[in-house]
């Protein structure tokens, strides 16, 4: 995620800000311009300083403190591009659900910014009942129907709202033996399943995908059951990005997709902060310099050349602070080929879109 600037006082703005911490101006994200903007006016309509003082208003979910995206004042929609895909939200009369939903929506906005940057198709179920995308954020206490599992089913992504609680999410991460479990990771993984349907199955890329990830026609239910009963194969780390990716080609694709999004967004953040990793022990130190836009990188290889030195450095920083590795994964050759497939898949989808996008 890039670093932004307040047009009022020139201080730094972050993607999650709703107010400039220096000058106190209200700020918001212009989803049609990919920038954070300081605002004049209000409360019903603001002039966005980053858009030549054009009139905007906040997404309706701003009133709950869960969204800072801005919509053109003359738009018919009351919700932003990310929030309008919600089918069910948590019960806001339960106090802790507001904070959980806030964390969930921030993670979802990270996801949607990437989808918009790449111009990937993401219709909602109202506009496209068959192929649309929607979200249910459910509580086990409210549902009364047993455990709620995070997952994807024909365009519907379900998330247990308890995942918005850091303590509860860490308990589940430890119980499941996962080295990495985040809200952003959940969204990036589950959207991978959605785009397998849209870009692979419906996009005529099934055979090419099978050549890289394996045959997804193998029984999915049996594969999951075998994974949870017996664990991953002993050599999984030689062929997969995670142990879970080894259970079935669909999960391999979704895990790889999520990691591709992690890499691109984190590299954009590092580039925005001017981070330049030049470790002497690396044979090609020049490859660590992030002097390109990760969202328009010419290849996955270019991304990985910059990514590996960065993760080595960040893992070292984390260890020096007494924490585990920030990125506890190994990018072996088979995984790199899979990342290249995802890179090309996104590039083809982006090229097929006629409308221009931000540079």
């Amino acid at each position: 995620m890039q670093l932004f600037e307040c047009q009022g006082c020139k201080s730094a703005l972050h993607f999650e800000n709703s107010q400039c911490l220096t000058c106190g101006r209200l700020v918001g994200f212009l989803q049609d311009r990919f920038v954070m903007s300081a605002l004049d006016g209000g409360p019903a309509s603001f002039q966005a300083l980053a858009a030549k003082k054009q009139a905007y208003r906040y997404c309706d979910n701003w009133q709950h403190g869960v969204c800072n995206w801005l919509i053109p004042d003359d738009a018919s929609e009351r919700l932003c591009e990310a929030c309008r895909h919600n089918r069910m939200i948590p019960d806001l009369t339960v106090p802790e659900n507001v904070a959980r939903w806030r964390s969930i929506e921030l993670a979802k906005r990270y996801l949607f910014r990437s989808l918009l940057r790449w111009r990937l198709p993401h219709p909602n179920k109202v506009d496209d009942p068959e192929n649309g995308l929607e979200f249910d954020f459910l509580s086990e206490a409210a549902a009364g129907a047993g455990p709620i599992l995070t997952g994807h089913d024909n365009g519907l992504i379900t998330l247990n709202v308890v995942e918005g609680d850091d303590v509860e999410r860490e308990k589940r991460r430890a119980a499941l033996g996962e080295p990495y479990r985040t809200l952003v990771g959940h969204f990036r993984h589950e959207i991978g399943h959605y785009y397998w349907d849209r870009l692979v199955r419906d996009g005529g890329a099934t055979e090419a995908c099978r050549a890289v990830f394996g045959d997804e026609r193998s029984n999915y239910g049996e594969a999951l059951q075998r994974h949870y009963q017996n664990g991953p194969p002993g050599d999984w780390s030689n062929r997969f990005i995670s142990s879970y990716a080894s259970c079935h080609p669909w999960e391999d694709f979704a895990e790889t997709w999520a990691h591709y999004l992690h890499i691109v967004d984190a590299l954009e953040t590092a580039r925005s902060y001017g981070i330049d990793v030049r470790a002497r022990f690396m044979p090609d130190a020049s490859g660590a310099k992030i002097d390109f836009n990760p969202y328009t990188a010419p290849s996955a290889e270019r991304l990985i050349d910059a990514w590996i030195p960065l993760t080595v450095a960040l893992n070292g920083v984390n260890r020096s602070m007494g924490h585990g590795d920030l990125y506890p994964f190994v990018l072996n050759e088979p995984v790199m080929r899979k990342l290249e497939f995802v890179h090309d898949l996104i590039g083809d989808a982006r090229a097929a879109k006629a409308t221009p996008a931000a540079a």
Side-chain angles (χ1 to χ4, degrees):
M1 180 62 64
Q2 69 189 90
L3 188 65
F4 302 95
E5 181 181 80
C6 175
Q7 294 80 20
C9 68
K10 306 303 180 183
S11 297
L13 291 179
H14 302 275
F15 184 62
E16 59 268 27
N17 288 154
S18 291
Q19 187 175 29
C20 175
L21 299 181
T22 301
C23 70
R25 288 177 183 267
L26 289 176
V27 299
F29 182 71
L30 300 179
Q31 62 183 39
D32 56 343
R33 292 173 180 261
F34 299 98
V35 297
M36 292 289 294
S37 178
L39 304 171
D40 277 337
S45 177
F46 298 92
Q47 290 182 328
L49 300 187
K52 298 182 179 179
K53 294 193 174 184
Q54 294 179 24
Y56 285 82
R57 51 184 163 79
Y58 278 112
C59 167
D60 272 5
N61 281 336
W62 178 71
Q63 64 185 306
H64 302 297
V66 302
C67 186
N68 67 343
W69 281 25
L70 298 163
I71 305 170
D73 199 39
D74 58 357
S76 59
E77 291 282 355
R78 302 299 305 180
L79 296 172
C80 71
E81 189 66 36
C83 289
R84 72 184 59 162
H85 288 76
N86 292 347
R87 188 178 76 162
M88 297 187 68
I89 63 171
D91 179 0
L92 300 184
T93 65
V94 179
E96 58 266 28
N97 279 350
V98 177
R100 290 171 175 176
W101 188 32
R102 183 178 298 117
S103 297
I104 288 168
E105 287 296 339
L106 174 59
K108 182 157 67 70
R109 292 199 304 279
Y110 268 85
L111 169 68
F112 267 84
R113 179 180 176 272
S114 294
L115 304 187
L116 292 169
R117 286 292 302 272
W118 280 313
R119 304 193 302 273
L120 293 177
H122 56 276
N124 57 45
K125 287 288 188 181
V126 174
D127 296 333
D128 189 344
E130 183 176 354
N131 298 316
L133 174 67
E134 60 186 1
F135 297 85
D136 278 354
F137 305 133
L138 306 179
S139 167
E140 291 172 354
I148 293 171
L149 302 178
T150 297
H152 168 267
D153 182 16
N154 194 32
L156 172 63
I157 292 176
T158 300
L159 185 72
N160 190 332
V161 297
V162 77
E163 292 283 349
D165 184 299
D166 292 342
V167 174
E168 289 297 326
R169 191 172 60 255
E170 176 60 19
K171 287 180 181 178
R172 292 166 185 245
R173 186 199 66 77
L176 293 170
E178 297 178 348
Y180 182 88
R181 186 183 182 93
T182 67
L183 281 172
V184 172
H186 281 322
F187 280 112
R188 288 172 174 166
H189 174 97
E190 299 305 335
I191 205 71
H193 289 300
Y194 176 74
Y195 283 114
W196 190 94
D197 290 347
R198 300 283 77 79
L199 303 182
V200 177
R201 184 193 66 191
D202 300 344
T206 305
E207 290 300 327
C209 189
R210 286 173 184 162
V212 178
F213 291 91
D215 194 338
E216 83 292 345
R217 291 171 295 186
S218 61
N219 190 287
Y220 180 67
E222 291 179 1
L224 287 183
Q225 184 177 18
R226 186 165 53 249
H227 174 78
Y228 286 119
Q229 287 181 348
N230 305 326
D235 65 342
W236 70 264
S237 60
N238 296 327
R239 297 178 286 131
F240 301 95
I241 189 62
S242 69
S243 62
Y244 187 58
S246 69
C247 71
H248 190 274
W250 279 338
E251 297 303 341
D252 192 9
F253 179 87
E255 284 284 88
T256 305
W257 178 281
H259 278 263
Y260 182 83
L261 268 62
H262 287 331
I263 290 169
V264 170
D265 204 42
L267 283 175
E268 185 188 47
T269 304
R271 180 193 184 208
S272 184
Y273 279 88
I275 296 175
D276 184 4
V277 181
R278 294 176 180 271
R280 288 177 297 173
F281 62 85
M282 292 178 180
D284 183 14
S286 63
K289 187 172 183 179
I290 310 166
D291 55 358
F292 62 97
N293 181 353
Y295 276 91
T296 57
S299 67
E301 182 180 8
R302 184 70 182 92
L303 293 167
I304 294 167
D305 283 346
W307 178 242
I308 292 177
L310 178 63
T311 59
V312 170
L314 293 178
N315 285 345
V317 171
N318 252 32
R319 293 170 192 169
S320 71
M321 297 292 289
H323 296 289
D325 287 352
L326 180 68
Y327 187 76
F329 303 96
V330 176
L331 300 181
N332 51 55
E333 285 298 326
V335 170
M336 291 183 186
R337 289 195 296 272
K338 295 169 186 177
L339 287 167
E340 194 71 56
F341 180 90
V342 171
H343 174 86
D344 292 342
L345 196 68
I346 290 175
D348 290 345
R350 179 174 184 167
K353 197 76 170 176
T355 55

